[in-house]
Amino acid sequence: MIVIVGFMGAGKTTVGHLLAEKLGLPFVDADLVIEQRTGRSVREIFEADGEPAFRGIEHQVTADLLAGQDAVLALGGGGVEHSATQQALRASQVIYLQVGYEESMLRVAHDEYRPLLRAPDLQAIFRRRLASYEAVATQIVATDGRRPEAICLDILGRLAELPSAPPG
Ligand code: S3P
C-alpha cells in the first residue's frame, strides 16, 4: 500500500492519480470513500455532526482501506492526527507531500468544499500537523514550485531504490 499524506493543497489527489497510473494500481481517495459510505459530503458531515464525528468516520474508513486491496491511497489532510491511524500506517509506504502554508493557501483558498478552510486558527493547525506528517512518513517530498509530473517521477525514483519486500 502506498499512502499519500500532507496538508490541504499539497497535491495528494493529483499526484496520487499520476502515481497510481504509473504503478498500475487503483487510486483511492479516502474523502471520496467517506462520502460514498455515508451518502453525505465531507462538508455536510462537518456541519451536521461536527469535526470529531468526521474524524471517527475518517479513521474507520482509513483502517478499512489500509487492510484492503493494494492501492495508492490519499488521506485527507487531518487523517494523520488520529493516533490509531498513525499506528495502522506503520505497515505502509507513506509519502508525505510537503507544502508551505502560503503555497497551500494559494492552491485551495477559494475552495468551498473544504470546511477546515474556515477554521480561524488554520495556520496553527498547519504547524501542529507537521510533526504528525513527519512521524508517519517513509518519504518526504517537497512540492512548492514543482509540477505534479516532476513530483511523481521523484517518488517513482525513490520507490525504485527501496529494497524489495521479502516474499511471503
Ligand atoms: C481536511 C482535509 C480535507 C478533508 C476535510 C478535512 C483537513 O482533505 O479530509 O475537509 O482536516 O485538513 P484534503 O486534504 O484532501 O483537502
PDB file of all heavy atoms in Angstrom, residues 80-97:
ATOM      1  N   VAL A  80      -3.921  12.013   9.609  1.00  0.00           N
ATOM      2  CA  VAL A  80      -2.748  11.501  10.341  1.00  0.00           C
ATOM      3  C   VAL A  80      -2.704  11.949  11.798  1.00  0.00           C
ATOM      4  O   VAL A  80      -1.823  11.516  12.536  1.00  0.00           O
ATOM      5  CB  VAL A  80      -1.423  11.932   9.678  1.00  0.00           C
ATOM      6  CG1 VAL A  80      -1.302  11.361   8.280  1.00  0.00           C
ATOM      7  CG2 VAL A  80      -1.289  13.440   9.652  1.00  0.00           C
ATOM      8  N   GLU A  81      -3.642  12.801  12.202  1.00  0.00           N
ATOM      9  CA  GLU A  81      -3.603  13.221  13.610  1.00  0.00           C
ATOM     10  C   GLU A  81      -4.233  12.184  14.538  1.00  0.00           C
ATOM     11  O   GLU A  81      -4.098  12.277  15.754  1.00  0.00           O
ATOM     12  CB  GLU A  81      -4.294  14.575  13.769  1.00  0.00           C
ATOM     13  CG  GLU A  81      -3.442  15.685  13.194  1.00  0.00           C
ATOM     14  CD  GLU A  81      -3.772  17.027  13.792  1.00  0.00           C
ATOM     15  OE1 GLU A  81      -4.917  17.485  13.589  1.00  0.00           O
ATOM     16  OE2 GLU A  81      -2.907  17.612  14.450  1.00  0.00           O
ATOM     17  N   HIS A  82      -4.906  11.220  13.967  1.00  0.00           N
ATOM     18  CA  HIS A  82      -5.559  10.184  14.771  1.00  0.00           C
ATOM     19  C   HIS A  82      -4.495   9.160  15.170  1.00  0.00           C
ATOM     20  O   HIS A  82      -3.846   8.573  14.295  1.00  0.00           O
ATOM     21  CB  HIS A  82      -6.653   9.531  13.918  1.00  0.00           C
ATOM     22  CG  HIS A  82      -7.657   8.771  14.705  1.00  0.00           C
ATOM     23  ND1 HIS A  82      -7.361   7.587  15.330  1.00  0.00           N
ATOM     24  CD2 HIS A  82      -8.954   9.020  14.964  1.00  0.00           C
ATOM     25  CE1 HIS A  82      -8.439   7.130  15.944  1.00  0.00           C
ATOM     26  NE2 HIS A  82      -9.423   7.986  15.741  1.00  0.00           N
ATOM     27  N   SER A  83      -4.332   8.906  16.467  1.00  0.00           N
ATOM     28  CA  SER A  83      -3.194   8.074  16.873  1.00  0.00           C
ATOM     29  C   SER A  83      -3.333   6.637  16.372  1.00  0.00           C
ATOM     30  O   SER A  83      -2.348   6.001  15.999  1.00  0.00           O
ATOM     31  CB  SER A  83      -2.988   8.122  18.380  1.00  0.00           C
ATOM     32  OG  SER A  83      -4.113   7.616  19.019  1.00  0.00           O
ATOM     33  N   ALA A  84      -4.559   6.103  16.334  1.00  0.00           N
ATOM     34  CA  ALA A  84      -4.730   4.733  15.834  1.00  0.00           C
ATOM     35  C   ALA A  84      -4.429   4.668  14.329  1.00  0.00           C
ATOM     36  O   ALA A  84      -3.935   3.650  13.829  1.00  0.00           O
ATOM     37  CB  ALA A  84      -6.141   4.231  16.127  1.00  0.00           C
ATOM     38  N   THR A  85      -4.719   5.743  13.614  1.00  0.00           N
ATOM     39  CA  THR A  85      -4.366   5.774  12.185  1.00  0.00           C
ATOM     40  C   THR A  85      -2.849   5.787  12.044  1.00  0.00           C
ATOM     41  O   THR A  85      -2.286   5.100  11.183  1.00  0.00           O
ATOM     42  CB  THR A  85      -4.997   7.008  11.493  1.00  0.00           C
ATOM     43  OG1 THR A  85      -6.418   6.892  11.566  1.00  0.00           O
ATOM     44  CG2 THR A  85      -4.584   7.112  10.034  1.00  0.00           C
ATOM     45  N   GLN A  86      -2.179   6.532  12.908  1.00  0.00           N
ATOM     46  CA  GLN A  86      -0.714   6.557  12.851  1.00  0.00           C
ATOM     47  C   GLN A  86      -0.150   5.147  13.030  1.00  0.00           C
ATOM     48  O   GLN A  86       0.761   4.736  12.319  1.00  0.00           O
ATOM     49  CB  GLN A  86      -0.154   7.481  13.934  1.00  0.00           C
ATOM     50  CG  GLN A  86      -0.466   8.939  13.668  1.00  0.00           C
ATOM     51  CD  GLN A  86       0.190   9.880  14.680  1.00  0.00           C
ATOM     52  OE1 GLN A  86       0.927   9.458  15.558  1.00  0.00           O
ATOM     53  NE2 GLN A  86      -0.106  11.156  14.546  1.00  0.00           N
ATOM     54  N   GLN A  87      -0.713   4.412  13.968  1.00  0.00           N
ATOM     55  CA  GLN A  87      -0.267   3.021  14.189  1.00  0.00           C
ATOM     56  C   GLN A  87      -0.506   2.175  12.942  1.00  0.00           C
ATOM     57  O   GLN A  87       0.366   1.428  12.504  1.00  0.00           O
ATOM     58  CB  GLN A  87      -1.081   2.373  15.320  1.00  0.00           C
ATOM     59  CG  GLN A  87      -0.916   3.020  16.664  1.00  0.00           C
ATOM     60  CD  GLN A  87       0.280   2.441  17.404  1.00  0.00           C
ATOM     61  OE1 GLN A  87       0.809   1.419  16.988  1.00  0.00           O
ATOM     62  NE2 GLN A  87       0.709   3.101  18.463  1.00  0.00           N
ATOM     63  N   ALA A  88      -1.718   2.323  12.392  1.00  0.00           N
ATOM     64  CA  ALA A  88      -2.104   1.487  11.245  1.00  0.00           C
ATOM     65  C   ALA A  88      -1.231   1.774  10.027  1.00  0.00           C
ATOM     66  O   ALA A  88      -1.059   0.911   9.161  1.00  0.00           O
ATOM     67  CB  ALA A  88      -3.576   1.717  10.904  1.00  0.00           C
ATOM     68  N   LEU A  89      -0.660   2.980   9.976  1.00  0.00           N
ATOM     69  CA  LEU A  89       0.144   3.350   8.809  1.00  0.00           C
ATOM     70  C   LEU A  89       1.534   2.726   8.819  1.00  0.00           C
ATOM     71  O   LEU A  89       2.255   2.793   7.827  1.00  0.00           O
ATOM     72  CB  LEU A  89       0.291   4.883   8.749  1.00  0.00           C
ATOM     73  CG  LEU A  89      -0.930   5.638   8.231  1.00  0.00           C
ATOM     74  CD1 LEU A  89      -0.730   7.137   8.399  1.00  0.00           C
ATOM     75  CD2 LEU A  89      -1.185   5.303   6.767  1.00  0.00           C
ATOM     76  N   ARG A  90       1.893   2.109   9.936  1.00  0.00           N
ATOM     77  CA  ARG A  90       3.272   1.616  10.058  1.00  0.00           C
ATOM     78  C   ARG A  90       3.627   0.549   9.042  1.00  0.00           C
ATOM     79  O   ARG A  90       4.794   0.342   8.746  1.00  0.00           O
ATOM     80  CB  ARG A  90       3.515   1.078  11.465  1.00  0.00           C
ATOM     81  CG  ARG A  90       3.608   2.214  12.443  1.00  0.00           C
ATOM     82  CD  ARG A  90       4.258   1.765  13.722  1.00  0.00           C
ATOM     83  NE  ARG A  90       4.252   2.868  14.667  1.00  0.00           N
ATOM     84  CZ  ARG A  90       4.224   2.729  15.963  1.00  0.00           C
ATOM     85  NH1 ARG A  90       4.193   1.520  16.482  1.00  0.00           N
ATOM     86  NH2 ARG A  90       4.237   3.767  16.749  1.00  0.00           N
ATOM     87  N   ALA A  91       2.609  -0.139   8.509  1.00  0.00           N
ATOM     88  CA  ALA A  91       2.894  -1.228   7.555  1.00  0.00           C
ATOM     89  C   ALA A  91       2.961  -0.721   6.113  1.00  0.00           C
ATOM     90  O   ALA A  91       3.148  -1.523   5.196  1.00  0.00           O
ATOM     91  CB  ALA A  91       1.818  -2.296   7.682  1.00  0.00           C
ATOM     92  N   SER A  92       2.809   0.596   5.894  1.00  0.00           N
ATOM     93  CA  SER A  92       2.720   1.103   4.516  1.00  0.00           C
ATOM     94  C   SER A  92       3.891   2.003   4.162  1.00  0.00           C
ATOM     95  O   SER A  92       4.560   2.546   5.044  1.00  0.00           O
ATOM     96  CB  SER A  92       1.436   1.929   4.349  1.00  0.00           C
ATOM     97  OG  SER A  92       0.310   1.153   4.605  1.00  0.00           O
ATOM     98  N   GLN A  93       4.090   2.160   2.854  1.00  0.00           N
ATOM     99  CA  GLN A  93       4.956   3.234   2.371  1.00  0.00           C
ATOM    100  C   GLN A  93       4.142   4.516   2.485  1.00  0.00           C
ATOM    101  O   GLN A  93       3.045   4.605   1.918  1.00  0.00           O
ATOM    102  CB  GLN A  93       5.276   3.023   0.878  1.00  0.00           C
ATOM    103  CG  GLN A  93       6.511   2.237   0.601  1.00  0.00           C
ATOM    104  CD  GLN A  93       7.759   2.874   1.176  1.00  0.00           C
ATOM    105  OE1 GLN A  93       7.917   4.094   1.165  1.00  0.00           O
ATOM    106  NE2 GLN A  93       8.630   2.046   1.706  1.00  0.00           N
ATOM    107  N   VAL A  94       4.631   5.484   3.208  1.00  0.00           N
ATOM    108  CA  VAL A  94       3.850   6.720   3.394  1.00  0.00           C
ATOM    109  C   VAL A  94       4.637   7.891   2.794  1.00  0.00           C
ATOM    110  O   VAL A  94       5.729   8.223   3.259  1.00  0.00           O
ATOM    111  CB  VAL A  94       3.558   6.983   4.884  1.00  0.00           C
ATOM    112  CG1 VAL A  94       2.693   8.240   5.027  1.00  0.00           C
ATOM    113  CG2 VAL A  94       2.852   5.788   5.521  1.00  0.00           C
ATOM    114  N   ILE A  95       4.063   8.463   1.748  1.00  0.00           N
ATOM    115  CA  ILE A  95       4.706   9.581   1.060  1.00  0.00           C
ATOM    116  C   ILE A  95       4.103  10.878   1.602  1.00  0.00           C
ATOM    117  O   ILE A  95       2.897  11.110   1.452  1.00  0.00           O
ATOM    118  CB  ILE A  95       4.422   9.526  -0.465  1.00  0.00           C
ATOM    119  CG1 ILE A  95       4.580   8.120  -1.035  1.00  0.00           C
ATOM    120  CG2 ILE A  95       5.246  10.574  -1.206  1.00  0.00           C
ATOM    121  CD1 ILE A  95       5.951   7.617  -1.215  1.00  0.00           C
ATOM    122  N   TYR A  96       4.941  11.678   2.211  1.00  0.00           N
ATOM    123  CA  TYR A  96       4.477  12.971   2.736  1.00  0.00           C
ATOM    124  C   TYR A  96       4.798  14.046   1.696  1.00  0.00           C
ATOM    125  O   TYR A  96       5.962  14.331   1.428  1.00  0.00           O
ATOM    126  CB  TYR A  96       5.165  13.242   4.074  1.00  0.00           C
ATOM    127  CG  TYR A  96       5.124  14.661   4.591  1.00  0.00           C
ATOM    128  CD1 TYR A  96       4.097  15.542   4.258  1.00  0.00           C
ATOM    129  CD2 TYR A  96       6.116  15.116   5.451  1.00  0.00           C
ATOM    130  CE1 TYR A  96       4.071  16.851   4.742  1.00  0.00           C
ATOM    131  CE2 TYR A  96       6.102  16.413   5.945  1.00  0.00           C
ATOM    132  CZ  TYR A  96       5.081  17.274   5.571  1.00  0.00           C
ATOM    133  OH  TYR A  96       5.075  18.561   6.034  1.00  0.00           O
ATOM    134  N   LEU A  97       3.743  14.632   1.123  1.00  0.00           N
ATOM    135  CA  LEU A  97       3.928  15.738   0.193  1.00  0.00           C
ATOM    136  C   LEU A  97       3.960  17.026   1.004  1.00  0.00           C
ATOM    137  O   LEU A  97       2.950  17.447   1.565  1.00  0.00           O
ATOM    138  CB  LEU A  97       2.787  15.780  -0.835  1.00  0.00           C
ATOM    139  CG  LEU A  97       2.672  14.589  -1.783  1.00  0.00           C
ATOM    140  CD1 LEU A  97       1.570  14.837  -2.812  1.00  0.00           C
ATOM    141  CD2 LEU A  97       3.995  14.312  -2.484  1.00  0.00           C
TER     142      LEU A  97
END
